[in-house]
Amino acid sequence: MDLWQWLTLAGAVMLSGISKTSFAGSLGLLAMPLLLLAFPADRALALLLPVLILCDAFTLQSSWKKWDLAALRFLLLPAIFGIVAASFVLLLVTIQQLQLFIGIGATLFALRYFYGNADLSLFAGAKAGISLGFLSGVSSTLLHAGGPPLSLHLLARQLPPVSYIATSAVFFAVLNLLKVPAYWLTGQFDPADIVRVLYCTPLAFIAVQAGVWVQRNLPQQLFIRLLYLLLLASGLAITAGALKS
């Protein structure tokens, strides 16, 4: 890899690590566009998965046993089915259509928070958790963009920041590990790239600890507002990407 590729990889590691422990992965959506500045799309997708797994490990260590088991009960199994279903989804819709659906949904939900009295209870129940968990599994597998559907449910449940981060960490740690066999069997993993990501382990640790500091020092109300702002930004970014495709 050349210097520019190493810099973009380091930037993706920093964004992913800080995001996972401060904003439950929302900021990490910027990691994929960053990698695309230096790598083709298929290699960027394959590079980002080990980066996410590396950051997941440090995030779980920092938020161990602080997750919301009730939320995970409704989210995880449908998300696993979503991973399996992802290959069949492409028979019905294109990736661009899926991006558009997720992007518009996330954008509208965030806008309702800022400009109206959103009825969050609509997304807080078991049925919503099952539906959004499935959608997160699909979009995470195809786009590495499972954050917005998950955020819709966790924000609606009004979890404390620490519980929000920990629940998101468990959810994505499980999903990202389950994606490994599919990536490996389809030949997307380059062993040399995995070694290169491992070289970034100290950087991932520093990024995760920086995210922990941010999360602990932000007032809860500001934390929630920033999460909605990032949800809005990610929704707009995903929508724009779909429209450009």
Side-chain angles (χ1 to χ4, degrees), residues 71-86:
L72 288 170
R73 187 171 69 248
F74 296 121
L75 289 164
L76 271 176
L77 187 58
I80 293 170
F81 281 113
I83 293 173
V84 175

Side-chain angles (χ1 to χ4, degrees), residues 3-200:
L3 178 59
W4 175 237
Q5 289 176 319
W6 275 111
L7 289 174
T8 56
L9 176 59
V13 171
M14 288 296 294
L15 281 170
S16 299
I18 293 173
S19 177
K20 280 183 175 292
T21 45
S22 57
F23 300 110
S26 299
L27 189 62
L29 283 173
L30 299 175
M32 186 62 186
L34 179 62
L35 287 174
L36 287 173
L37 295 176
F39 299 96
D42 56 345
R43 191 177 177 195
L45 275 169
L47 261 175
L48 188 54
L49 183 57
V51 168
L52 294 173
I53 292 172
L54 182 61
C55 293
D56 285 335
F58 288 127
T59 304
L60 282 173
Q61 183 271 330
S62 69
S63 56
W64 191 251
K65 291 186 178 180
K66 297 174 184 176
W67 43 77
D68 186 318
L69 284 175
L72 288 170
R73 187 171 69 248
F74 296 121
L75 289 164
L76 271 176
L77 187 58
I80 293 170
F81 281 113
I83 293 173
V84 175
S87 57
F88 299 102
V89 168
L90 288 178
L91 298 176
L92 304 173
V93 298
T94 65
I95 287 183
Q96 289 74 23
Q97 289 171 329
L98 180 64
Q99 280 182 293
L100 197 60
F101 176 75
I102 292 170
I104 291 174
T107 300
L108 291 177
F109 183 75
L111 286 174
R112 288 187 69 187
Y113 171 81
F114 288 110
Y115 296 106
N117 296 317
D119 182 12
L120 302 182
S121 62
L122 177 67
F123 298 99
K127 290 182 179 178
I130 291 170
S131 301
L132 292 168
F134 178 82
L135 185 57
S136 186
V138 172
S139 59
S140 178
T141 304
L142 298 177
L143 309 169
H144 282 320
L150 177 68
S151 293
L152 293 180
H153 185 63
L154 296 186
L155 285 168
R157 290 181 69 89
Q158 300 181 338
L159 299 181
V162 172
S163 181
Y164 184 107
I165 297 294
T167 304
S168 177
V170 174
F171 181 82
F172 284 116
V174 173
L175 259 64
N176 287 331
L177 285 174
L178 288 174
K179 286 187 281 184
V180 169
Y183 274 66
W184 192 272
L185 290 173
T186 55
Q188 293 191 63
F189 275 146
D190 180 350
D193 278 344
I194 296 175
V195 172
R196 292 181 182 111
V197 171
L198 289 175
Y199 286 152
C200 297

Side-chain angles (χ1 to χ4, degrees), residues 216-238:
R216 288 176 179 172
N217 287 276
L218 274 182
Q220 182 167 340
Q221 200 56 35
L222 178 59
F223 173 83
I224 297 299
R225 288 185 67 83
L226 285 173
L227 279 176
Y228 273 105
L229 187 62
L230 286 169
L231 180 63
L232 175 61
S234 62
L236 289 171
I238 291 171

